[in-house]
Amino acid sequence: MSTGAVGSTAPSVAAGAPEKVFWGQKWEDNGFAKNEIHFDKTAKVMRDIFVALDGLSKELGDRYTWMDIACAPGGFSRFLCADPRSERGFGITLPVTEGGFRLLFTWSSPDERKFSVKFQDLLTLEPENCKPGHDGNVDLILSDAQYLPLRKADQPGPDPSLARAASSNPSLGIWALLFQQLRLGCSNLRNGGIMMFRLNLKDDNIDWYHESVCQIIAFVDAVFETMVLFKSGKSHQSDGTTYMVCRGFCKGEFEAMGAGELLRKSMNVSCFEGNVGGFRNMAPIFAHIGVSSEVRKRTRECFKTCMDAITRYKDGDFSYEATVKEWSCARKAPHLKLTARVT
């Protein structure tokens, strides 16, 4: 297990500056000046990812575009808006009237006006409708959807009673969202780009869940060059929330296997299959991609890395440093151009 290297081309906090608390305060570093930022937490997670991975400079270069799936309240994209390398961003989020988070953007500054948002249930979207007025692929995909019907009523944020149940089995709702996020994201990602998605790595003792995570990692292994596990030391310390940062996308491989259609059908299975065992056996993306012994080993390492971080936190023997671990994937793509795209 290793921690990220210091030094990033992304916006950073000045040396020696005190770390501000997450909730209810202003954050004025490098152009941030928002009142009562409860999205401050996610903005700082994104900052820590950029610091740990050297600003993702290998793939993003001097300028980049991005798409943020399930973007509200907007912390991830607000951080990217402040990065001078960012050119334009596109967001997708569930309307507040349908149980979504409130988007805390005012579009009052030139930085924020880089970002445009489509308010729609992402499960109803097609890949070609994600970026109105923009036909090209983006360099970076962020996806951090939560299955809102399972949120507790006393948690800050949207009212879970307004959220539509996406699945006949509550345990499979988040899988429907994950399949759709991978479908929308990879379909709009340029060759050699980066996709980041959220994954819960706490339920290792549940057979069907462990096997499903193993299959997702096998998918990543097939269409990306490297995979990075990132677990924040400042947010979600006691739960299994991790972010998988997948670098060096091979769009040709994604299209050759028909992954977009496989993911669409897998999303539908997640919505309508009532049995978790049936879901694992019937999801077409799982049936199409074999799981190697190396992927099974990596899956066990991912769960262990996450659980070790949780244990350190609960035992009081932990720092606020993030946990970062990287693996090379089976997809070796030395011919890919992994620099920023040229206009």
Side-chain angles (χ1 to χ4, degrees), residues 217-243:
I217 292 176
F219 169 76
V220 169
D221 197 62
V223 297
F224 286 92
E225 189 177 30
T226 63
M227 183 189 90
V228 179
L229 180 153
F230 179 93
K231 180 160 181 60
S232 174
K234 301 170 185 173
S235 175
H236 296 290
Q237 300 100 320
S238 63
D239 65 40
T241 299
T242 61
Y243 292 97

Side-chain angles (χ1 to χ4, degrees), residues 26-43:
K26 292 182 178 180
W27 185 20
E28 298 180 341
D29 302 317
N30 294 295
F32 287 88
K34 305 287 287 182
N35 291 319
E36 299 179 353
I37 300 183
H38 82 268
F39 72 178
D40 178 57
K41 175 176 68 172
T42 53

Side-chain angles (χ1 to χ4, degrees), residues 55-128:
L56 299 170
S57 57
K58 177 182 177 182
E59 293 85 4
L60 300 184
D62 296 329
R63 56 207 174 112
Y64 64 87
T65 56
W66 79 95
M67 187 169 82
D68 191 349
I69 303 171
C71 62
F76 284 170
S77 282
R78 187 59 187 88
F79 174 82
L80 296 182
C81 284
D83 185 348
R85 301 176 300 160
S86 68
E87 290 183 332
R88 190 176 180 187
F90 306 88
I92 304 165
T93 193
L94 186 68
V96 173
T97 53
E98 298 179 24
F101 282 89
R102 186 173 299 280
L103 186 65
L104 299 182
F105 264 67
T106 63
W107 288 278
S108 59
S109 69
D111 278 352
E112 286 197 348
R113 287 193 285 272
K114 297 177 183 178
F115 189 56
S116 59
V117 180
K118 187 179 186 72
F119 292 90
Q120 186 172 334
D121 184 343
L122 70 89
L123 291 177
T124 67
L125 263 178
E126 291 299 316
E128 61 271 19

Side-chain angles (χ1 to χ4, degrees), residues 19-323:
E19 182 76 10
K20 297 178 177 64
V21 299
F22 290 140
W23 301 92
Q25 292 197 8
K26 292 182 178 180
W27 185 20
E28 298 180 341
D29 302 317
N30 294 295
F32 287 88
K34 305 287 287 182
N35 291 319
E36 299 179 353
I37 300 183
H38 82 268
F39 72 178
D40 178 57
K41 175 176 68 172
T42 53
K44 288 184 175 179
V45 168
M46 181 55 61
R47 180 196 63 185
D48 290 347
I49 290 173
F50 266 51
V51 169
L53 301 180
D54 194 27
L56 299 170
S57 57
K58 177 182 177 182
E59 293 85 4
L60 300 184
D62 296 329
R63 56 207 174 112
Y64 64 87
T65 56
W66 79 95
M67 187 169 82
D68 191 349
I69 303 171
C71 62
F76 284 170
S77 282
R78 187 59 187 88
F79 174 82
L80 296 182
C81 284
D83 185 348
R85 301 176 300 160
S86 68
E87 290 183 332
R88 190 176 180 187
F90 306 88
I92 304 165
T93 193
L94 186 68
V96 173
T97 53
E98 298 179 24
F101 282 89
R102 186 173 299 280
L103 186 65
L104 299 182
F105 264 67
T106 63
W107 288 278
S108 59
S109 69
D111 278 352
E112 286 197 348
R113 287 193 285 272
K114 297 177 183 178
F115 189 56
S116 59
V117 180
K118 187 179 186 72
F119 292 90
Q120 186 172 334
D121 184 343
L122 70 89
L123 291 177
T124 67
L125 263 178
E126 291 299 316
E128 61 271 19
N129 298 327
C130 291
K131 310 184 303 296
H134 183 81
D135 296 329
N137 294 317
V138 299
D139 304 290
L140 172 65
I141 299 288
L142 311 173
S143 55
D144 189 24
Q146 300 180 42
Y147 189 52
L148 297 175
L150 293 184
R151 286 179 60 84
K152 297 177 182 178
D154 59 351
Q155 285 183 279
D159 182 354
S161 66
L162 296 177
R164 176 179 68 89
S167 173
S168 57
N169 186 326
S171 297
L172 298 181
I174 190 61
W175 287 95
L177 291 172
L178 178 57
F179 289 138
Q180 179 70 333
Q181 288 173 97
L182 292 172
R183 177 184 176 229
L184 299 179
C186 290
S187 297
N188 285 282
L189 182 61
R190 72 163 174 86
N191 197 44
I194 303 168
M195 180 162 186
M196 185 186 88
F197 62 91
R198 176 177 179 154
L199 197 60
N200 187 317
L201 292 177
K202 192 173 181 180
D203 296 326
D204 187 31
N205 60 334
I206 301 176
D207 290 343
W208 75 267
Y209 189 86
H210 179 103
E211 186 64 23
S212 299
V213 170
C214 192
Q215 294 277 4
I216 290 295
I217 292 176
F219 169 76
V220 169
D221 197 62
V223 297
F224 286 92
E225 189 177 30
T226 63
M227 183 189 90
V228 179
L229 180 153
F230 179 93
K231 180 160 181 60
S232 174
K234 301 170 185 173
S235 175
H236 296 290
Q237 300 100 320
S238 63
D239 65 40
T241 299
T242 61
Y243 292 97
M244 313 307 287
V245 184
C246 309
R247 308 170 75 172
F249 178 55
C250 185
K251 198 169 189 73
E253 185 72 23
F254 177 82
E255 293 175 348
M257 73 168 69
E261 181 64 9
L262 293 172
L263 288 165
R264 184 191 68 80
K265 291 179 178 178
S266 299
M267 175 187 70
N268 288 336
V269 169
S270 305
C271 290
F272 299 110
E273 176 58 47
N275 182 278
V276 292
F279 152 76
R280 191 183 71 187
N281 296 324
M282 293 174 62
I285 193 68
F286 290 172
H288 183 82
I289 298 176
V291 178
S292 67
S293 58
E294 176 59 33
V295 165
R296 292 195 180 278
K297 177 183 176 184
R298 190 188 313 165
T299 303
R300 292 192 295 270
E301 290 176 356
C302 287
F303 276 104
K304 185 177 185 304
T305 300
C306 178
M307 291 306 300
D308 287 348
I310 294 172
T311 300
R312 287 196 303 273
Y313 172 75
K314 290 183 175 180
D315 291 346
D317 180 23
F318 97 113
S319 68
Y320 286 101
E321 290 188 15
T323 299

